[in-house]
Amino acid sequence: MTVLTETAEKIRNMEIRGAGKIGRAAANALKEEAKSIQTGDLNEFNRQMADAYNLLYSTRPTAVSLPNALRAVMQYRAYNVEEARQAIVANADAFIASSEDAVRRIGEFGAHRIKDGDTILTHCNSSVAFSIFDTAFKQGKNINVVATETRPRQQGYITVDFLQKAGIPTTLILDSAVRYYMKKVDLVVVGADAITANGSVINKVGTSQVALAANEARVNFVVAAETYKFSPRSLAGEMVEIEERDPSEVLSPELQKKWPKLKVANPAFDITPHKYIDMIITEIGAISPEMAYWVIKDKLGWDLEDTAGANGKGV
Ligand code: RI2
């Protein structure tokens, strides 16, 4: 197995997960592939890199961080293989460094929203949301983080593990306890897998229910996301594909056999409309969801011509 095929497999089976980590792992896999290609022919090199791009691209459909990372790494002009290789390595290193820096910056911006004594609810496991909690806690703020279990893959346990290791007071609740618990919550902070041009957020399934409960209870709902999670293709009206995962994540194969006519649906993500979102905290500052269009156009530098781009990939 090469780094490329191993990374693709790990993203597919969610051993590597979380939108940011997926983007960084994919960038690193392209870099390692570029380093290992043996040809001196630039066309052949480009063809093999395009295959690598396509393999990584096909692993998970929803997190826009993946195609945006791939695109960032693959932007090169070269007259020979060595130049191409060096450009890819430099692009990958720059992407990984800037995405790590973005997590740190969002932690600092987001911590301003957190007051001493706050109870903050989060859903699933977002490393960017955690960066906010960790920064606020290290500033000496006395906080309590409520983590949902996050069926079916229990990413809430990863969140709990992060929080407990950091010494942050933590409460684990069932996904179905969110509305009951919202009375005790001062702020909701979640991550994002994709953000569309109209400011709607695609995140782990259940996020939109958390947003509804927060809205009802007049609790602010904040999204923590790097700008490379904004979806350029949504500018052209394209929908972000919602990944449907295997039914065995929801129901054991034994029980599926017991009820052979039963259908099991397992959407991995849902869409929270922008009207339920008070703020999106990015590495370029805290913005209203309505500013998503400008992030895609000005920060990511995409326009409609790009979104109709030649390779037809959903970035
Ligand atoms: P960070 C995850 O998806 C969750 O939906 C999480 O909110 C989001 O990625 C962002 O994660 P999955 O890979 O980049 O668990 O903030 O399906 O770590």
Side-chain angles (χ1 to χ4, degrees):
M1 253 195 181
T2 62
V3 174
L4 172 70
T5 53
E6 193 182 338
T7 304
E9 184 46 34
K10 284 186 173 171
I11 294 175
R12 204 184 295 277
N13 70 21
M14 291 180 69
E15 252 178 88
I16 297 174
R17 56 145 297 280
K21 258 197 192 154
I22 289 172
R24 282 188 289 275
N28 182 60
L30 285 181
K31 169 181 155 176
E32 292 304 322
E33 186 65 7
K35 280 162 60 180
S36 72
I37 292 175
Q38 296 280 338
T39 180
D41 174 18
L42 185 58
N43 286 336
E44 174 57 18
F45 178 88
N46 288 341
R47 196 192 57 70
Q48 290 190 34
M49 285 308 298
D51 285 350
Y53 178 109
N54 288 330
L55 175 68
L56 291 162
Y57 178 84
S58 69
T59 52
R60 289 194 76 190
T62 302
V64 173
S65 53
L66 174 61
N68 279 349
L70 296 174
R71 183 176 185 271
V73 176
M74 293 292 270
Q75 297 230 310
Y76 64 88
R77 263 182 222 283
Y79 294 101
N80 58 51
V81 169
E82 251 350 279
E83 271 180 29
R85 207 189 312 272
Q86 279 173 22
I88 289 168
V89 169
N91 286 348
D93 287 344
F95 175 82
I96 291 166
S98 76
S99 81
E100 283 168 349
D101 189 55
V103 174
R104 190 188 53 73
R105 283 173 70 86
I106 295 170
E108 280 169 15
F109 294 151
H112 291 144
R113 300 293 304 181
I114 293 182
K115 297 187 297 297
D116 190 38
D118 270 357
T119 294
I120 310 132
L121 186 140
T122 191
H123 183 55
C124 195
N125 174 254
S126 158
S127 49
V128 196
F130 175 75
S131 173
I132 294 177
F133 310 145
D134 196 41
T135 308
F137 188 68
K138 284 184 176 141
Q139 288 169 349
K141 289 172 189 164
N142 176 21
I143 58 171
N144 173 32
V145 179
V146 179
T148 57
E149 187 181 28
T150 317
R151 277 273 290 153
R153 295 189 65 112
Q154 275 98 4
Q155 288 98 325
Y157 294 176
I158 306 173
T159 298
V160 164
D161 193 51
F162 280 17
L163 291 161
Q164 288 294 287
K165 282 185 178 140
I168 300 173
T170 314
T171 307
L172 176 69
I173 63 168
L174 293 176
D175 302 330
S176 44
V178 163
R179 184 163 179 256
Y180 173 79
Y181 222 82
M182 196 57 81
K183 299 180 202 81
K184 300 178 182 151
V185 171
D186 300 295
L187 182 70
V188 173
V189 180
V190 295
D193 291 82
I195 299 175
T196 62
N198 74 349
S200 294
V201 167
I202 290 99
N203 193 48
K204 185 54 54 192
V205 69
T207 301
S208 65
Q209 287 181 182
V210 175
L212 274 180
N215 185 262
E216 179 193 46
R218 302 278 184 273
V219 170
N220 275 347
F221 184 94
V222 168
V223 175
E226 307 89 320
T227 51
Y228 69 89
K229 291 176 183 166
F230 287 66
S231 165
R233 292 190 79 81
S234 66
L235 212 56
E238 280 191 29
M239 308 282 280
V240 173
E241 183 184 339
I242 302 293
E243 179 181 9
E244 183 74 31
R245 292 190 63 85
D246 200 89
S248 62
E249 291 187 343
V250 176
L251 197 67
S252 68
E254 296 76 56
L255 284 177
Q256 285 186 60
K257 256 188 225 137
K258 183 175 172 189
W259 302 308
K261 289 186 181 156
L262 177 71
K263 285 188 190 135
V264 178
N266 185 17
F269 302 98
D270 67 17
I271 304 159
T272 301
H274 58 88
K275 67 177 178 178
Y276 295 111
I277 299 164
D278 293 287
M279 182 180 284
I280 302 174
I281 303 181
T282 75
E283 76 278 15
I284 55 168
I287 61 168
S288 69
E290 287 76 16
M291 281 177 71
Y293 171 81
W294 299 106
V295 171
I296 295 168
K297 260 189 94 75
D298 292 355
K299 164 74 184 157
L300 298 182
W302 280 71
D303 60 29
L304 285 169
E305 300 311 312
D306 284 325
T307 62
N311 68 10
K313 301 299 174 205
V315 286

